[in-house]
Amino acid sequence: MATKKSVGALKEADLKGKKVFVRVDLNVPLDDNFNITDDTRIRAAVPTIKYLMGHGSKVILSSHLGRPKGVTPKYSLKPLVPRLSELLGVEVKMANDCIGEEVEKMVAALPDGGVILLENVRFYKEEEKNDPEFAKKLASLADIYVNDAFGTAHRAHASTEGVAKFLKPSVAGFLMQKELDYLVGAVANPKKPFAAIVGGSKVSTKIGVIESLLAKVDLLFLGGGMIFTFYKAQGYKVGSSLVEEDKLDLATSLMEKAKAKGVSLLLPTDVVIADKFAADANSKVVPAAEIPDGWMGLDIGPDSIKSFSESLDTTQTIIWNGPMGVFEFDKFAAGTEAVAKKLAELSGKGVTTIIGGGDSVAAVEKVGLADKMSHISTGGGASLELLEGKQLPGVLALDDA
Ligand SMILES: Nc1ncnc2c1ncn2[C@@H]1O[C@H](COP(=O)(O)OP(=O)(O)O)[C@@H](O)[C@H]1O
Ligand SMILES: O=C(OP(=O)(O)O)[C@H](O)COP(=O)(O)O
């Protein structure tokens, strides 16, 4: 099980008049018109920011959005400013960059309790490389470092890890603390049977964690884009569905391991297929082994929903990461919505339900069931890595308590 490093506390820091560099995860989904389709991560960042404002700090917010390669206007953080300002009750200033003279001037002009949002830190390739010179430049803007970006804590990047080396104190924000307390706490001694539901599209990231989940869970449900790699490994025809060819052997060995460990590995038995990746695609339900050429699987089918629901009824703790299908298109949202409803129902009966991952959370929000779950995590990959027993670099870099 993941051991939690005891991180330095924000409440003990001297904050009055101090410039505080706060790494937040404002990587929220935006539609084609740059409207925020789910603001969970922005709302989750508010308590720490308000605390700092209330204690007279000059708050410098830093985040990434998406995975831009260099400066890419569509990944600007500017569209987030109105919602952030509304939630904080102040006018948040937007910087056009995240380092440099202009930013320094804006920070210098910031009043105590003021808030500035730096532009997408991933516009610099040095961010993901964790370049020390770049981290130093970020650090030079501030006196104190607060990491509240739980969703990005599994990345050793300049703004999540490197910067902590140059600022003292470097402490966890309230969201980070809450996530660590809950996720580590709840799964250290889970009520059994313990189930994980893993879906989504980040196949290569998630297929790896399935292995470590096999050592902890009694049941493992798979959905979303990764199931086709498992189908193909079994010799099924998968049409043009998402497949990671280089993970076929791994999929086979995971199925064997599940069997050897006595874990029930449940793959959908039927899928909803589409003739193109679009909201208005033609669709039909077929058995999992019979996806025709030219068609792609975009959701789990009704028989799978039924059998997943029945098996979930037998569990006491459930961790869910990644949607069951392309829920952004109504035609392919049924599987994800059914799982969300099932978990909400089970929460009401005392089952512990933990949801992780930007898109899974968005899906739960979309059906209005977020407040029914035991815990909604703001990190998908980060919560999975914690479950894998890994230490998160963004947490390790912080001062010891
Ligand atoms: N069968 C599928 N084929 C392609 N994409 C899928 C499929 N099922 C789900 N997805 C996509 O996966 C995305 C979420 O994946 P991911 O980022 O891994 O989840 P999370 O953010 O919850 O961790 C969603 O945008 C969804 O449309
Ligand atoms: O959305 C995120 O991860 P998640 O989808 O695993 O929750 C985080 O903001 C990290 O983003 P990244 O996976 O591009 O490093």
Side-chain angles (χ1 to χ4, degrees):
M1 188 55 246
T3 46
K4 178 166 68 87
K5 190 185 119 130
S6 184
V7 284
L10 176 57
K11 286 203 166 149
E12 281 150 31
D14 174 17
L15 300 167
K16 177 89 188 100
K18 296 281 167 55
K19 290 176 284 180
V20 184
F21 187 98
V22 190
R23 180 49 160 104
V24 280
D25 186 336
L26 302 182
N27 185 25
V28 292
L30 298 173
D31 67 15
D32 292 343
N33 298 315
F34 300 99
N35 297 307
I36 300 160
T37 53
D38 177 54
D39 67 355
T40 304
R41 280 182 168 159
I42 308 182
R43 285 186 285 109
V46 165
T48 296
I49 304 171
K50 279 203 167 160
Y51 181 85
L52 292 167
M53 289 165 62
H55 284 75
S57 302
K58 301 169 201 292
V59 185
I60 306 162
L61 298 178
S62 168
S63 178
H64 72 285
L65 179 73
R67 293 175 168 177
K69 298 273 166 273
V71 179
T72 319
K74 84 168 194 174
Y75 290 117
S76 169
L77 285 164
K78 285 194 185 85
L80 277 63
V81 170
R83 183 70 182 128
L84 193 54
S85 301
E86 188 186 347
L87 287 166
L88 295 174
V90 292
E91 190 197 326
V92 174
K93 302 262 178 265
M94 181 73 210
N96 286 323
D97 206 334
C98 61
I99 50 168
E101 241 175 74
E102 199 193 319
V103 178
E104 283 162 23
K105 279 189 194 143
M106 286 180 80
V107 171
L110 211 58
D112 289 358
V115 183
I116 181 172
L117 175 62
L118 305 181
E119 186 50 287
N120 194 338
V121 72
R122 286 192 186 169
F123 283 177
Y124 286 85
K125 62 178 183 329
E126 290 85 351
E127 161 67 1
E128 290 176 70
K129 291 193 170 137
N130 199 0
D131 178 274
E133 285 308 310
F134 180 66
K136 211 176 191 173
K137 284 182 193 161
L138 292 173
S140 72
L141 297 170
D143 308 306
I144 294 173
Y145 177 60
V146 174
N147 192 351
D148 214 18
F150 174 74
T152 325
H154 56 318
R155 309 286 182 217
H157 293 172
S159 68
T160 60
E161 204 268 350
V163 70
K165 298 192 179 85
F166 301 102
L167 289 172
K168 283 274 170 263
S170 288
V171 297
F174 299 136
L175 172 64
M176 180 75 90
Q177 193 70 64
K178 185 175 121 192
E179 293 269 19
L180 293 173
D181 287 349
Y182 206 98
L183 288 167
V184 177
V187 297
N189 287 303
K191 284 181 289 170
K192 293 200 152 232
F194 180 19
I197 310 171
V198 185
S201 62
K202 290 180 183 168
V203 179
S204 46
T205 325
K206 294 187 185 178
I207 223 160
V209 308
I210 291 172
E211 178 148 29
S212 32
L213 284 172
L214 286 176
K216 302 187 171 75
V217 299
D218 305 299
L219 298 100
L220 180 60
F221 299 80
L222 297 183
M226 78 188 60
I227 56 177
F228 307 100
T229 302
F230 284 82
Y231 291 155
K232 186 148 189 196
Q234 292 176 78
Y236 294 4
K237 284 170 50 167
V238 294
S240 45
S241 306
L242 200 64
V243 168
E244 294 224 359
E245 299 287 341
D246 61 342
K247 297 286 187 295
L248 293 175
D249 290 344
L250 179 59
T252 305
S253 84
L254 289 176
M255 287 184 281
E256 284 165 2
K257 273 189 188 147
K259 215 173 191 176
K261 285 182 188 292
V263 175
S264 306
L265 179 67
L266 290 100
L267 278 159
T269 47
D270 59 347
V271 286
V272 185
I273 56 170
D275 58 355
K276 58 179 175 181
F277 189 87
D280 64 349
N282 290 308
S283 66
K284 56 185 173 182
V285 176
V286 295
E290 291 171 27
I291 303 174
D293 286 345
W295 291 72
M296 63 187 82
L298 296 187
D299 196 10
I300 63 174
D303 287 346
S304 312
I305 291 175
K306 195 162 172 283
S307 60
F308 277 22
S309 294
E310 283 166 9
S311 297
L312 286 168
D313 275 333
T314 67
T315 65
Q316 284 301 316
T317 304
I318 306 168
I319 290 168
W320 179 21
N321 178 294
M324 295 292 96
V326 183
F327 72 99
E328 296 91 338
F329 300 154
D330 287 345
K331 265 189 174 174
F332 309 105
T336 303
E337 291 183 8
V339 169
K341 284 183 185 141
K342 189 74 209 174
L343 266 54
E345 176 201 318
L346 292 172
S347 298
K349 294 179 179 164
V351 175
T352 302
T353 52
I354 303 171
I355 324 289
D359 289 294
S360 332
V361 175
V364 170
E365 288 279 354
K366 197 177 157 197
V367 286
L369 295 172
D371 60 350
K372 298 273 187 291
M373 308 298 176
S374 311
H375 180 72
I376 296 267
S377 174
T378 52
S383 56
L384 284 177
E385 289 205 13
L386 264 190
L387 300 178
E388 264 187 276
K390 289 186 182 162
Q391 296 274 16
L392 307 180
V395 177
L396 277 183
L398 300 174
D399 301 343
D400 291 325

